Amino acid sequence: MPASVVVGLQWGDEGKGKTTDFLAEQVAMVVRYQGGDNAGHTIVSAGEVFKLHLVPSGVLYPHITSVIGNGVVVNPATLIDELDRLTARGIDVSRVRVSRAAHVIMPYHVALDRGHEARLGGDKVGTTGRGIGPAYADRAWRLGLRMGDLLDREILRSRLERVLDDRNATLARLDGVAFELEALIDQAAAWGDRLEVHLDDTTWLVQAALARGEHVLLEGAQGTLLDLDHGSYPYVTSSNAVAGGACTGGGIGPLQVDEVMGVMKAYATRVGSGPFPTELTDEIGEGIATRGNEVGTTTGRRRRVGWFDAVPLRFAVAVNSVSSIMLNKLDILSGIDAIRLCVAYDIDGQRVEHWPSSAELLARATPIYETFEGWDQPIHAVRALADLPEQARRYVTALEALAGVPIVLVSVGPERTQTIERAWRPMRRVAGARIA
Ligand code: GDP
Ligand code: IMO
Ligand code: MG
């Protein structure tokens, strides 16, 4: 049995939560492989809205083991809060497993992230302020704490003694408040007491599931264009959101991945700073943001909105080995007269079709658009591609041609059921499958 990866193809918030929840019905295990509580994944099921930051989006199903893999950075306070909220809503969280090797976001990481952003002022990255960058930096510098460390006060003490003075010194320069060693040890040990029942060697858990022939789904956070290596650095997050991150952060080998489902929405959004060539600042963008409820799940910030950009799409399909696509939020485009689709950039007078990834080049890119006739009618109730308005089908066909891989699922509303399925099953590759 294979492992499948769900990966965002844009700047995050493509609807990965909906996609993972939709696919989770057919799998035994869902594994988050990178990021932290910077993510906000929304699931809508039977009118109930669940906003998840750390717990994988399969948790709503009782049959799923939900795994937070070694590649995730975990804020224990957020995780405990999320588990409590889910429990209060009747969701069984006893099958949530957390890697002992996952790194801990400590309170000083959060303070450093916020202090540093404040110092950058107008040049800030626009992070979610969750301590993601500092936690991953300490991991790479071998100065981090891992979830398993929370269970041993002596290990906690020795780890914190190595790093705390330096972090406090930096915080003092950023006008931040210092953290006290004993209080941090008490706090961390209390988190350990609470989370011990969830801690596990998740790599073996995932490998055992695959060996038993169970289907494992790996859920990415953020998106390809926010990837630390492949996005427009420095306006990126601090981990590998691409499908390759599922191997390093989820505990699987490359040949165990059988399917990579790319998730994208019918237009683009971006939260935080950084170049965004197709950004819309007019009333069309305002309308999309309002209808699409484009407000950050984690930060409450209004998301920037733009036309779909096919230049990074080709790049994202290649770098993730995307084998199929779920297209979300097609319903939000209803009522727009002329829909534009960016097929290339003009950079310094040259036509560019390759995603440059350089923030400096992207900032000089002017989109070259193709225009598509829009449609008026709402499409929330449509459940077959053939029943979509002809203009919507043309737009989907164009996106599919640009991507070069089949769009197998089209979402027309936030509800699990508001989904159009192609004739062949998702997550089961069929050579040469094309849109009907
Ligand atoms: P994620 O971070 O990729 O999981 O995406 P978010 O959950 O942050 O943002 C996607 C938002 O769009 C959520 O509020 C979803 O409930 C919603 N959503 C997902 N698919 C659709 C869709 O097809 N139509 C509409 N109207 N909303 C959708
Ligand atoms: P999901 O999983 C959209 C963005 C931030 C900022 C940059 C770096 O819901 O798609 P960080 O806090 O990670 O250091 O911020 O990345 N960002 C996201 N944007 N969706 C997300 O997650 C994001 N997670 C981080 O806005 O630009
Ligand atoms: Mg989100």
Side-chain angles (χ1 to χ4, degrees):
M1 265 291 187
S4 307
V5 179
V6 166
V7 62
L9 300 182
Q10 297 162 302
W11 284 276
D13 303 324
E14 301 91 345
K16 297 173 295 293
K18 164 156 182 176
T19 300
T20 303
D21 170 73
F22 184 82
L23 298 177
E25 194 174 9
Q26 14 178 28
V27 309
M29 184 178 274
V30 179
V31 185
R32 257 289 295 278
Y33 60 83
Q34 46 69 236
D37 60 341
N38 48 351
H41 297 181
T42 312
I43 301 167
V44 185
S45 174
E48 278 207 76
V49 180
F50 296 87
K51 292 182 184 295
L52 302 170
H53 300 286
L54 278 168
V55 177
S57 305
V59 70
L60 303 191
Y61 295 98
H63 71 278
I64 298 259
T65 301
S66 297
V67 175
I68 296 177
N70 60 280
V72 176
V73 282
V74 180
N75 183 326
T78 309
L79 178 58
I80 291 167
D81 182 61
E82 202 163 304
L83 293 173
D84 286 347
R85 283 170 192 266
L86 287 166
T87 304
R89 294 178 70 179
I91 307 295
D92 176 13
V93 296
S94 64
R95 295 163 78 104
V96 173
R97 316 309 301 154
V98 183
S99 170
R100 285 199 188 90
H103 275 248
V104 181
I105 299 182
M106 293 296 288
Y108 49 83
H109 291 133
V110 176
L112 286 164
D113 186 10
R114 293 180 184 179
H116 199 253
E117 283 280 281
R119 197 178 66 179
L120 286 174
D123 286 337
K124 68 181 180 201
V125 173
T127 72
T128 58
R130 298 301 171 108
I132 305 297
Y136 274 118
D138 273 356
R139 179 176 87 148
W141 206 358
R142 297 162 305 249
L143 291 171
L145 278 73
R146 308 207 293 178
M147 290 302 286
D149 299 341
L150 300 180
L151 304 180
D152 185 321
R153 291 184 75 93
E154 286 320 303
I155 293 179
L156 280 173
R157 179 178 301 281
S158 79
R159 298 264 192 273
L160 285 167
E161 275 173 352
R162 284 199 291 180
V163 73
L164 192 58
D165 284 350
D166 285 350
R167 297 299 168 268
N168 277 337
T170 310
L171 275 172
R173 282 202 304 281
L174 295 169
D175 300 326
V177 180
F179 288 88
E180 206 261 314
L181 178 69
E182 297 304 326
L184 277 183
I185 294 174
D186 288 345
Q187 171 74 88
W191 286 332
D193 286 345
R194 170 66 207 275
L195 292 172
E196 184 171 6
V197 291
H198 294 286
L199 298 189
D200 220 323
D201 183 338
T202 57
T203 296
W204 279 115
L205 213 59
V206 171
Q207 288 298 332
L210 288 168
R212 282 196 301 274
E214 293 174 1
H215 198 148
V216 174
L217 187 60
L218 293 115
E219 177 186 17
Q222 291 79 56
T224 302
L225 309 182
L226 288 172
D227 181 276
L228 177 59
D229 289 276
H230 298 292
S232 47
Y233 191 90
Y235 301 104
V236 293
T237 191
S238 303
S239 64
N240 286 118
V242 293
C247 293
T248 52
I252 53 163
L255 296 183
Q256 290 177 309
V257 179
D258 172 75
E259 173 89 17
V260 178
M261 180 173 283
V263 185
M264 62 194 202
K265 53 187 170 188
Y267 51 94
T269 62
R270 176 160 205 177
V271 199
S273 323
F276 184 8
T278 63
E279 184 164 13
L280 283 165
T281 49
D282 58 6
E283 66 280 5
I284 296 181
E286 194 63 44
I288 293 175
T290 304
R291 286 194 304 282
N293 191 23
E294 294 297 350
V295 175
T297 313
T298 300
T299 57
R301 286 181 293 183
R302 161 81 142 70
R303 295 170 182 154
R304 298 156 70 195
V305 169
W307 295 118
F308 192 95
D309 192 343
V311 180
L313 171 64
R314 286 187 282 265
F315 173 82
V317 166
V319 83
N320 290 299
S321 318
V322 169
S323 48
S324 62
I325 289 176
M326 178 159 183
L327 173 66
N328 288 328
K329 296 194 125 170
L330 187 62
D331 54 303
I332 303 302
L333 297 186
S334 288
I336 299 176
D337 291 342
I339 297 167
R340 304 180 94 186
L341 176 53
C342 173
V343 293
Y345 300 145
D346 180 316
I347 301 179
D348 304 335
Q350 302 278 340
R351 185 183 167 98
V352 174
E353 293 184 359
H354 284 138
W355 166 249
S357 103
S358 147
E360 290 71 27
L361 278 178
L362 270 181
R364 301 207 300 276
T366 309
I368 298 171
Y369 288 115
E370 275 179 17
T371 302
F372 289 77
E373 194 187 331
W375 62 93
D376 278 333
Q377 58 273 54
I379 56 172
H380 299 109
V382 174
R383 294 293 175 271
L385 275 179
D387 297 334
L388 281 174
E390 192 189 336
Q391 299 91 327
R393 267 186 284 138
R394 261 194 237 123
Y395 183 64
V396 174
T397 305
L399 286 175
E400 187 176 56
L402 287 162
V405 289
I407 293 175
V408 297
L409 295 165
V410 178
S411 174
V412 288
E415 272 281 349
R416 195 183 273 173
T417 51
Q418 289 176 310
T419 307
I420 298 172
E421 286 190 70
R422 299 293 294 280
W424 59 278
R425 260 166 74 96
M427 305 205 301
R428 290 288 174 276
R429 202 175 313 162
V430 176
R434 300 297 298 169
I435 204 160

